[in-house]
Amino acid sequence: MKDGSNYLRTNEQWSLKHADGTVLAPEITATLCMDFETNAKFVWFYVPDITGVDCSEMLLLNKIEEILDWPRTKVGVIGGFEGEQTHGTDLTFTGRITFYSEKPVRPEWKEQMIREAQRVGHHLTFRSIDYRDMRNKLEKPLAFNSHDSRDKDLIAGRLAIQLQKFMCPVWYDDFSLKVGDSLRESIEAGLKECPKCVLILTPNFLSNEGWTKREYDSVFTREVVEKQKLILPVWHDVSRDDVYRYSMILADRVAAQWSLGVEEVARRLVRALNG
């Protein structure tokens, strides 16, 4: 699957177990990234916060042999033009293993895992929530995430997290606001400064005459003043007629359909944001 960059990705869902065999939930997403231009492949893991487990990453490394076997033998992907094609199993595994974690990993545990991985010739990188927060402070968001608060958990939050996993910073209240900030001033600054605005159009959004309507009006005004298209629509459970009744202009914009899945929607937005 393309992720908006120059390599392909394939995912597997992995479960961790306690010593007594009990399966831990939720599952971990293992992602193999294949770059056919450089003949290389590497692995990412998205590690959720598993209740009762201090360091899921350490448990995951207990499966190191399975981790290393997967990119070597279980990649049924072929890339390249006819006559110059390369099979995924023939790409060189670089040894890069990156953990994207929902909670910070203690420094002493990181050091221990890095040393253990180095002994078998592999390189670990950790990208936990503290790294995300640091990037949000240092990097200017590429888009403002405009959504109805009722769609926050099931749609807007999942999309914002997926965009972060694709290394695409966005303005999203959980990421961009801190205690004491003025909500109005922060939102106005985000709407004014972000290069684009992702509008998550749902029945809740279209019926909201409050914040979301003002956010749409603001970014539309920017489009008129700056004479460029800034709005990237995402449609969830709305029809063209629904959107037309809300805004004729929005009905004419190509939208990403949420029915494609959060990864594909994020992938299409990344391509649009990267020009």
Side-chain angles (χ1 to χ4, degrees):
M1 295 182 294
K2 285 195 172 182
D3 68 347
S5 63
N6 62 347
Y7 48 78
L8 301 178
R9 305 182 319 119
T10 181
N11 295 336
E12 283 191 0
Q13 298 300 120
W14 287 6
S15 297
L16 294 180
K17 296 181 180 179
H18 279 300
D20 62 4
T22 305
V23 176
L24 299 169
E27 293 182 318
I28 288 171
T29 301
T31 301
L32 178 63
C33 304
M34 294 166 283
D35 189 336
F36 287 89
E37 292 185 4
T38 62
N39 196 46
K41 54 190 174 185
F42 48 94
V43 177
W44 294 344
F45 291 100
Y46 181 70
V47 185
D49 185 357
I50 300 177
T51 302
V53 177
D54 292 329
C55 187
S56 303
E57 295 80 3
M58 197 169 290
L59 290 178
L60 190 58
L61 283 182
N62 290 333
K63 302 175 67 172
I64 189 68
E65 292 305 320
E66 184 176 347
I67 291 173
L68 300 184
D69 183 59
W70 175 46
R72 281 197 297 259
T73 63
K74 301 178 182 177
V75 188
V77 177
I78 297 176
F81 295 104
E82 186 174 355
E84 301 178 353
Q85 293 178 326
T86 302
H87 197 280
T89 55
D90 296 326
L91 299 178
T92 301
F93 181 51
T94 64
R96 285 177 51 203
I97 301 173
T98 303
F99 294 113
Y100 291 91
S101 310
E102 288 187 354
K103 66 180 180 181
V105 180
R106 288 166 54 177
E108 61 268 28
W109 291 343
K110 284 184 183 179
E111 293 174 6
Q112 177 184 341
M113 287 185 282
I114 288 172
R115 285 196 303 269
E116 292 177 357
Q118 286 175 339
R119 280 198 290 268
V120 293
H122 294 89
H123 177 73
L124 297 188
T125 304
F126 293 86
R127 296 290 183 259
S128 57
I129 191 170
D130 50 354
Y131 174 80
R132 182 202 70 188
D133 293 341
M134 179 184 68
R135 286 186 68 242
N136 285 337
K137 292 178 182 178
L138 298 177
E139 296 185 6
K140 181 178 180 180
L142 296 180
F144 183 92
N145 184 325
S146 179
H147 61 279
D148 186 281
S149 60
R150 291 166 290 184
D151 300 319
K152 183 181 182 67
D153 292 336
L154 294 180
I155 305 173
R158 291 177 60 201
L159 180 58
I161 290 172
Q162 187 63 55
L163 288 168
Q164 292 282 18
K165 288 164 65 176
F166 285 165
M167 307 303 285
C168 178
V170 293
W171 195 105
Y172 178 64
D173 52 4
D174 281 1
F175 300 166
S176 306
L177 296 177
K178 59 182 182 298
V179 174
D181 281 351
S182 165
L183 183 60
R184 180 187 60 79
E185 290 178 0
S186 297
I187 289 176
E188 287 182 354
L191 286 167
K192 183 177 180 180
E193 297 170 6
C194 290
K196 300 287 185 178
C197 179
V198 175
L199 285 183
I200 301 177
L201 302 179
T202 67
N204 289 330
F205 188 104
L206 300 184
S207 65
N208 188 330
E209 294 295 327
W211 275 111
T212 60
K213 186 65 167 63
R214 289 196 288 273
E215 288 174 4
Y216 170 64
D217 289 343
S218 297
V219 73
F220 177 70
T221 300
R222 269 191 66 195
E223 285 202 340
V224 173
V225 172
E226 298 178 15
K227 297 180 180 179
Q228 58 178 317
K229 290 183 172 61
L230 307 175
I231 297 172
L232 303 176
V234 175
W235 289 13
H236 178 277
D237 198 25
V238 294
S239 67
R240 187 167 298 278
D241 287 344
D242 295 330
V243 178
Y244 180 84
R245 284 191 290 271
Y246 184 83
S247 167
M248 291 186 292
I249 292 174
L250 279 181
D252 187 51
R253 299 287 175 89
V254 175
Q257 300 289 342
W258 188 256
S259 58
L260 295 172
V262 63
E263 284 197 18
E264 180 60 25
V265 170
R267 196 172 292 119
R268 295 186 180 199
L269 290 174
V270 169
R271 288 200 291 267
L273 290 168
N274 288 336

PDB file of all heavy atoms in Angstrom, residues 27-54:
ATOM      1  N   GLU A  27      -4.232  -5.052  20.108  1.00  0.00           N
ATOM      2  CA  GLU A  27      -3.131  -5.596  19.330  1.00  0.00           C
ATOM      3  C   GLU A  27      -2.147  -4.508  18.910  1.00  0.00           C
ATOM      4  O   GLU A  27      -2.466  -3.323  18.893  1.00  0.00           O
ATOM      5  CB  GLU A  27      -3.669  -6.298  18.080  1.00  0.00           C
ATOM      6  CG  GLU A  27      -4.475  -7.548  18.364  1.00  0.00           C
ATOM      7  CD  GLU A  27      -4.924  -8.222  17.087  1.00  0.00           C
ATOM      8  OE1 GLU A  27      -5.354  -7.506  16.161  1.00  0.00           O
ATOM      9  OE2 GLU A  27      -4.847  -9.461  17.016  1.00  0.00           O
ATOM     10  N   ILE A  28      -0.954  -4.947  18.557  1.00  0.00           N
ATOM     11  CA  ILE A  28       0.097  -4.058  18.060  1.00  0.00           C
ATOM     12  C   ILE A  28       0.106  -4.141  16.536  1.00  0.00           C
ATOM     13  O   ILE A  28      -0.027  -5.221  15.960  1.00  0.00           O
ATOM     14  CB  ILE A  28       1.466  -4.469  18.633  1.00  0.00           C
ATOM     15  CG1 ILE A  28       1.529  -4.106  20.124  1.00  0.00           C
ATOM     16  CG2 ILE A  28       2.615  -3.825  17.878  1.00  0.00           C
ATOM     17  CD1 ILE A  28       2.725  -4.654  20.842  1.00  0.00           C
ATOM     18  N   THR A  29       0.253  -2.998  15.876  1.00  0.00           N
ATOM     19  CA  THR A  29       0.331  -2.963  14.419  1.00  0.00           C
ATOM     20  C   THR A  29       1.789  -2.983  13.989  1.00  0.00           C
ATOM     21  O   THR A  29       2.557  -2.080  14.333  1.00  0.00           O
ATOM     22  CB  THR A  29      -0.355  -1.706  13.852  1.00  0.00           C
ATOM     23  OG1 THR A  29      -1.723  -1.695  14.246  1.00  0.00           O
ATOM     24  CG2 THR A  29      -0.270  -1.687  12.329  1.00  0.00           C
ATOM     25  N   ALA A  30       2.171  -4.027  13.255  1.00  0.00           N
ATOM     26  CA  ALA A  30       3.521  -4.131  12.700  1.00  0.00           C
ATOM     27  C   ALA A  30       3.461  -3.710  11.239  1.00  0.00           C
ATOM     28  O   ALA A  30       2.614  -4.194  10.480  1.00  0.00           O
ATOM     29  CB  ALA A  30       4.030  -5.561  12.822  1.00  0.00           C
ATOM     30  N   THR A  31       4.331  -2.801  10.829  1.00  0.00           N
ATOM     31  CA  THR A  31       4.325  -2.265   9.475  1.00  0.00           C
ATOM     32  C   THR A  31       5.690  -2.480   8.827  1.00  0.00           C
ATOM     33  O   THR A  31       6.714  -2.052   9.374  1.00  0.00           O
ATOM     34  CB  THR A  31       4.005  -0.760   9.471  1.00  0.00           C
ATOM     35  OG1 THR A  31       2.726  -0.550  10.064  1.00  0.00           O
ATOM     36  CG2 THR A  31       3.994  -0.206   8.055  1.00  0.00           C
ATOM     37  N   LEU A  32       5.707  -3.156   7.697  1.00  0.00           N
ATOM     38  CA  LEU A  32       6.928  -3.328   6.931  1.00  0.00           C
ATOM     39  C   LEU A  32       6.944  -2.295   5.811  1.00  0.00           C
ATOM     40  O   LEU A  32       6.021  -2.239   5.000  1.00  0.00           O
ATOM     41  CB  LEU A  32       7.010  -4.737   6.345  1.00  0.00           C
ATOM     42  CG  LEU A  32       8.235  -5.026   5.477  1.00  0.00           C
ATOM     43  CD1 LEU A  32       9.512  -4.922   6.312  1.00  0.00           C
ATOM     44  CD2 LEU A  32       8.129  -6.401   4.835  1.00  0.00           C
ATOM     45  N   CYS A  33       7.964  -1.460   5.776  1.00  0.00           N
ATOM     46  CA  CYS A  33       8.117  -0.421   4.758  1.00  0.00           C
ATOM     47  C   CYS A  33       9.147  -0.876   3.738  1.00  0.00           C
ATOM     48  O   CYS A  33      10.257  -1.272   4.110  1.00  0.00           O
ATOM     49  CB  CYS A  33       8.567   0.891   5.398  1.00  0.00           C
ATOM     50  SG  CYS A  33       7.482   1.469   6.714  1.00  0.00           S
ATOM     51  N   MET A  34       8.783  -0.829   2.469  1.00  0.00           N
ATOM     52  CA  MET A  34       9.661  -1.307   1.394  1.00  0.00           C
ATOM     53  C   MET A  34       9.964  -0.187   0.415  1.00  0.00           C
ATOM     54  O   MET A  34       9.047   0.401  -0.169  1.00  0.00           O
ATOM     55  CB  MET A  34       8.998  -2.477   0.670  1.00  0.00           C
ATOM     56  CG  MET A  34       8.835  -3.717   1.530  1.00  0.00           C
ATOM     57  SD  MET A  34       7.715  -4.946   0.810  1.00  0.00           S
ATOM     58  CE  MET A  34       6.119  -4.173   1.175  1.00  0.00           C
ATOM     59  N   ASP A  35      11.238   0.112   0.256  1.00  0.00           N
ATOM     60  CA  ASP A  35      11.686   1.145  -0.672  1.00  0.00           C
ATOM     61  C   ASP A  35      12.378   0.454  -1.843  1.00  0.00           C
ATOM     62  O   ASP A  35      13.535   0.038  -1.740  1.00  0.00           O
ATOM     63  CB  ASP A  35      12.652   2.106   0.039  1.00  0.00           C
ATOM     64  CG  ASP A  35      12.977   3.335  -0.802  1.00  0.00           C
ATOM     65  OD1 ASP A  35      12.848   3.231  -2.037  1.00  0.00           O
ATOM     66  OD2 ASP A  35      13.364   4.360  -0.231  1.00  0.00           O
ATOM     67  N   PHE A  36      11.662   0.312  -2.947  1.00  0.00           N
ATOM     68  CA  PHE A  36      12.196  -0.403  -4.092  1.00  0.00           C
ATOM     69  C   PHE A  36      13.239   0.421  -4.841  1.00  0.00           C
ATOM     70  O   PHE A  36      14.019  -0.132  -5.616  1.00  0.00           O
ATOM     71  CB  PHE A  36      11.059  -0.821  -5.026  1.00  0.00           C
ATOM     72  CG  PHE A  36      10.238  -1.957  -4.488  1.00  0.00           C
ATOM     73  CD1 PHE A  36       9.133  -1.719  -3.681  1.00  0.00           C
ATOM     74  CD2 PHE A  36      10.583  -3.266  -4.766  1.00  0.00           C
ATOM     75  CE1 PHE A  36       8.384  -2.772  -3.180  1.00  0.00           C
ATOM     76  CE2 PHE A  36       9.834  -4.331  -4.262  1.00  0.00           C
ATOM     77  CZ  PHE A  36       8.738  -4.077  -3.466  1.00  0.00           C
ATOM     78  N   GLU A  37      13.277   1.722  -4.619  1.00  0.00           N
ATOM     79  CA  GLU A  37      14.286   2.552  -5.275  1.00  0.00           C
ATOM     80  C   GLU A  37      15.665   2.328  -4.672  1.00  0.00           C
ATOM     81  O   GLU A  37      16.676   2.362  -5.370  1.00  0.00           O
ATOM     82  CB  GLU A  37      13.900   4.033  -5.182  1.00  0.00           C
ATOM     83  CG  GLU A  37      12.676   4.406  -6.003  1.00  0.00           C
ATOM     84  CD  GLU A  37      12.402   5.896  -5.975  1.00  0.00           C
ATOM     85  OE1 GLU A  37      13.217   6.628  -5.366  1.00  0.00           O
ATOM     86  OE2 GLU A  37      11.396   6.326  -6.549  1.00  0.00           O
ATOM     87  N   THR A  38      15.705   2.116  -3.356  1.00  0.00           N
ATOM     88  CA  THR A  38      16.992   1.918  -2.690  1.00  0.00           C
ATOM     89  C   THR A  38      17.238   0.458  -2.320  1.00  0.00           C
ATOM     90  O   THR A  38      18.250   0.142  -1.689  1.00  0.00           O
ATOM     91  CB  THR A  38      17.071   2.768  -1.406  1.00  0.00           C
ATOM     92  OG1 THR A  38      16.045   2.357  -0.491  1.00  0.00           O
ATOM     93  CG2 THR A  38      16.902   4.244  -1.725  1.00  0.00           C
ATOM     94  N   ASN A  39      16.305  -0.444  -2.709  1.00  0.00           N
ATOM     95  CA  ASN A  39      16.428  -1.874  -2.436  1.00  0.00           C
ATOM     96  C   ASN A  39      16.516  -2.156  -0.935  1.00  0.00           C
ATOM     97  O   ASN A  39      17.306  -2.992  -0.488  1.00  0.00           O
ATOM     98  CB  ASN A  39      17.665  -2.449  -3.148  1.00  0.00           C
ATOM     99  CG  ASN A  39      17.626  -3.964  -3.212  1.00  0.00           C
ATOM    100  OD1 ASN A  39      16.593  -4.546  -3.559  1.00  0.00           O
ATOM    101  ND2 ASN A  39      18.726  -4.623  -2.875  1.00  0.00           N
ATOM    102  N   ALA A  40      15.704  -1.444  -0.147  1.00  0.00           N
ATOM    103  CA  ALA A  40      15.784  -1.563   1.312  1.00  0.00           C
ATOM    104  C   ALA A  40      14.402  -1.713   1.921  1.00  0.00           C
ATOM    105  O   ALA A  40      13.390  -1.324   1.329  1.00  0.00           O
ATOM    106  CB  ALA A  40      16.478  -0.333   1.893  1.00  0.00           C
ATOM    107  N   LYS A  41      14.363  -2.292   3.126  1.00  0.00           N
ATOM    108  CA  LYS A  41      13.116  -2.378   3.879  1.00  0.00           C
ATOM    109  C   LYS A  41      13.417  -2.248   5.365  1.00  0.00           C
ATOM    110  O   LYS A  41      14.528  -2.532   5.828  1.00  0.00           O
ATOM    111  CB  LYS A  41      12.383  -3.695   3.590  1.00  0.00           C
ATOM    112  CG  LYS A  41      13.204  -4.955   3.808  1.00  0.00           C
ATOM    113  CD  LYS A  41      12.467  -6.164   3.253  1.00  0.00           C
ATOM    114  CE  LYS A  41      13.329  -7.421   3.321  1.00  0.00           C
ATOM    115  NZ  LYS A  41      12.690  -8.580   2.675  1.00  0.00           N
ATOM    116  N   PHE A  42      12.426  -1.783   6.118  1.00  0.00           N
ATOM    117  CA  PHE A  42      12.571  -1.571   7.554  1.00  0.00           C
ATOM    118  C   PHE A  42      11.205  -1.718   8.202  1.00  0.00           C
ATOM    119  O   PHE A  42      10.178  -1.834   7.521  1.00  0.00           O
ATOM    120  CB  PHE A  42      13.185  -0.196   7.858  1.00  0.00           C
ATOM    121  CG  PHE A  42      12.539   0.948   7.123  1.00  0.00           C
ATOM    122  CD1 PHE A  42      11.528   1.683   7.714  1.00  0.00           C
ATOM    123  CD2 PHE A  42      12.948   1.288   5.841  1.00  0.00           C
ATOM    124  CE1 PHE A  42      10.926   2.742   7.055  1.00  0.00           C
ATOM    125  CE2 PHE A  42      12.358   2.350   5.170  1.00  0.00           C
ATOM    126  CZ  PHE A  42      11.351   3.072   5.763  1.00  0.00           C
ATOM    127  N   VAL A  43      11.184  -1.738   9.535  1.00  0.00           N
ATOM    128  CA  VAL A  43       9.965  -2.085  10.268  1.00  0.00           C
ATOM    129  C   VAL A  43       9.564  -0.974  11.232  1.00  0.00           C
ATOM    130  O   VAL A  43      10.418  -0.374  11.893  1.00  0.00           O
ATOM    131  CB  VAL A  43      10.168  -3.403  11.061  1.00  0.00           C
ATOM    132  CG1 VAL A  43       8.931  -3.738  11.887  1.00  0.00           C
ATOM    133  CG2 VAL A  43      10.476  -4.554  10.103  1.00  0.00           C
ATOM    134  N   TRP A  44       8.253  -0.706  11.288  1.00  0.00           N
ATOM    135  CA  TRP A  44       7.654   0.170  12.295  1.00  0.00           C
ATOM    136  C   TRP A  44       6.710  -0.656  13.155  1.00  0.00           C
ATOM    137  O   TRP A  44       6.098  -1.609  12.683  1.00  0.00           O
ATOM    138  CB  TRP A  44       6.798   1.275  11.659  1.00  0.00           C
ATOM    139  CG  TRP A  44       7.505   2.295  10.850  1.00  0.00           C
ATOM    140  CD1 TRP A  44       8.837   2.578  10.824  1.00  0.00           C
ATOM    141  CD2 TRP A  44       6.886   3.200   9.928  1.00  0.00           C
ATOM    142  NE1 TRP A  44       9.095   3.592   9.946  1.00  0.00           N
ATOM    143  CE2 TRP A  44       7.922   3.999   9.376  1.00  0.00           C
ATOM    144  CE3 TRP A  44       5.574   3.420   9.523  1.00  0.00           C
ATOM    145  CZ2 TRP A  44       7.673   4.996   8.441  1.00  0.00           C
ATOM    146  CZ3 TRP A  44       5.324   4.408   8.584  1.00  0.00           C
ATOM    147  CH2 TRP A  44       6.359   5.188   8.059  1.00  0.00           C
ATOM    148  N   PHE A  45       6.567  -0.252  14.407  1.00  0.00           N
ATOM    149  CA  PHE A  45       5.526  -0.816  15.264  1.00  0.00           C
ATOM    150  C   PHE A  45       4.737   0.323  15.891  1.00  0.00           C
ATOM    151  O   PHE A  45       5.335   1.266  16.429  1.00  0.00           O
ATOM    152  CB  PHE A  45       6.122  -1.678  16.381  1.00  0.00           C
ATOM    153  CG  PHE A  45       6.735  -2.956  15.898  1.00  0.00           C
ATOM    154  CD1 PHE A  45       8.102  -3.064  15.724  1.00  0.00           C
ATOM    155  CD2 PHE A  45       5.942  -4.049  15.605  1.00  0.00           C
ATOM    156  CE1 PHE A  45       8.671  -4.241  15.269  1.00  0.00           C
ATOM    157  CE2 PHE A  45       6.495  -5.231  15.150  1.00  0.00           C
ATOM    158  CZ  PHE A  45       7.864  -5.317  14.973  1.00  0.00           C
ATOM    159  N   TYR A  46       3.410   0.244  15.801  1.00  0.00           N
ATOM    160  CA  TYR A  46       2.557   1.177  16.530  1.00  0.00           C
ATOM    161  C   TYR A  46       2.078   0.462  17.785  1.00  0.00           C
ATOM    162  O   TYR A  46       1.328  -0.511  17.714  1.00  0.00           O
ATOM    163  CB  TYR A  46       1.363   1.633  15.694  1.00  0.00           C
ATOM    164  CG  TYR A  46       0.493   2.617  16.435  1.00  0.00           C
ATOM    165  CD1 TYR A  46       0.946   3.905  16.697  1.00  0.00           C
ATOM    166  CD2 TYR A  46      -0.758   2.232  16.905  1.00  0.00           C
ATOM    167  CE1 TYR A  46       0.156   4.796  17.396  1.00  0.00           C
ATOM    168  CE2 TYR A  46      -1.546   3.125  17.613  1.00  0.00           C
ATOM    169  CZ  TYR A  46      -1.082   4.400  17.842  1.00  0.00           C
ATOM    170  OH  TYR A  46      -1.862   5.290  18.547  1.00  0.00           O
ATOM    171  N   VAL A  47       2.568   0.923  18.951  1.00  0.00           N
ATOM    172  CA  VAL A  47       2.351   0.232  20.216  1.00  0.00           C
ATOM    173  C   VAL A  47       1.319   0.990  21.054  1.00  0.00           C
ATOM    174  O   VAL A  47       1.601   2.083  21.556  1.00  0.00           O
ATOM    175  CB  VAL A  47       3.667   0.094  21.002  1.00  0.00           C
ATOM    176  CG1 VAL A  47       3.456  -0.740  22.258  1.00  0.00           C
ATOM    177  CG2 VAL A  47       4.753  -0.531  20.126  1.00  0.00           C
ATOM    178  N   PRO A  48       0.109   0.471  21.217  1.00  0.00           N
ATOM    179  CA  PRO A  48      -0.903   1.151  22.029  1.00  0.00           C
ATOM    180  C   PRO A  48      -0.576   1.035  23.519  1.00  0.00           C
ATOM    181  O   PRO A  48       0.306   0.266  23.928  1.00  0.00           O
ATOM    182  CB  PRO A  48      -2.192   0.394  21.694  1.00  0.00           C
ATOM    183  CG  PRO A  48      -1.720  -0.978  21.325  1.00  0.00           C
ATOM    184  CD  PRO A  48      -0.380  -0.809  20.664  1.00  0.00           C
ATOM    185  N   ASP A  49      -1.266   1.806  24.315  1.00  0.00           N
ATOM    186  CA  ASP A  49      -1.120   1.741  25.771  1.00  0.00           C
ATOM    187  C   ASP A  49      -1.900   0.526  26.271  1.00  0.00           C
ATOM    188  O   ASP A  49      -3.128   0.526  26.275  1.00  0.00           O
ATOM    189  CB  ASP A  49      -1.648   3.032  26.403  1.00  0.00           C
ATOM    190  CG  ASP A  49      -1.401   3.081  27.906  1.00  0.00           C
ATOM    191  OD1 ASP A  49      -0.871   2.095  28.455  1.00  0.00           O
ATOM    192  OD2 ASP A  49      -1.751   4.105  28.526  1.00  0.00           O
ATOM    193  N   ILE A  50      -1.199  -0.526  26.666  1.00  0.00           N
ATOM    194  CA  ILE A  50      -1.836  -1.759  27.112  1.00  0.00           C
ATOM    195  C   ILE A  50      -1.943  -1.739  28.640  1.00  0.00           C
ATOM    196  O   ILE A  50      -0.931  -1.627  29.338  1.00  0.00           O
ATOM    197  CB  ILE A  50      -1.044  -2.988  26.644  1.00  0.00           C
ATOM    198  CG1 ILE A  50      -0.967  -2.994  25.110  1.00  0.00           C
ATOM    199  CG2 ILE A  50      -1.690  -4.269  27.154  1.00  0.00           C
ATOM    200  CD1 ILE A  50      -0.147  -4.142  24.550  1.00  0.00           C
ATOM    201  N   THR A  51      -3.140  -1.806  29.134  1.00  0.00           N
ATOM    202  CA  THR A  51      -3.382  -1.733  30.575  1.00  0.00           C
ATOM    203  C   THR A  51      -2.627  -2.835  31.322  1.00  0.00           C
ATOM    204  O   THR A  51      -2.659  -4.004  30.939  1.00  0.00           O
ATOM    205  CB  THR A  51      -4.888  -1.866  30.872  1.00  0.00           C
ATOM    206  OG1 THR A  51      -5.593  -0.837  30.179  1.00  0.00           O
ATOM    207  CG2 THR A  51      -5.155  -1.743  32.358  1.00  0.00           C
ATOM    208  N   GLY A  52      -1.931  -2.414  32.377  1.00  0.00           N
ATOM    209  CA  GLY A  52      -1.228  -3.373  33.216  1.00  0.00           C
ATOM    210  C   GLY A  52       0.146  -3.757  32.728  1.00  0.00           C
ATOM    211  O   GLY A  52       0.814  -4.590  33.363  1.00  0.00           O
ATOM    212  N   VAL A  53       0.608  -3.188  31.612  1.00  0.00           N
ATOM    213  CA  VAL A  53       1.933  -3.502  31.067  1.00  0.00           C
ATOM    214  C   VAL A  53       2.784  -2.239  31.108  1.00  0.00           C
ATOM    215  O   VAL A  53       2.422  -1.210  30.519  1.00  0.00           O
ATOM    216  CB  VAL A  53       1.829  -4.027  29.617  1.00  0.00           C
ATOM    217  CG1 VAL A  53       3.217  -4.285  29.044  1.00  0.00           C
ATOM    218  CG2 VAL A  53       0.991  -5.283  29.575  1.00  0.00           C
ATOM    219  N   ASP A  54       3.910  -2.303  31.793  1.00  0.00           N
ATOM    220  CA  ASP A  54       4.777  -1.136  31.920  1.00  0.00           C
ATOM    221  C   ASP A  54       5.519  -0.824  30.632  1.00  0.00           C
ATOM    222  O   ASP A  54       5.698   0.339  30.278  1.00  0.00           O
ATOM    223  CB  ASP A  54       5.789  -1.347  33.056  1.00  0.00           C
ATOM    224  CG  ASP A  54       5.116  -1.370  34.424  1.00  0.00           C
ATOM    225  OD1 ASP A  54       4.091  -0.675  34.575  1.00  0.00           O
ATOM    226  OD2 ASP A  54       5.604  -2.072  35.317  1.00  0.00           O
TER     227      ASP A  54
END
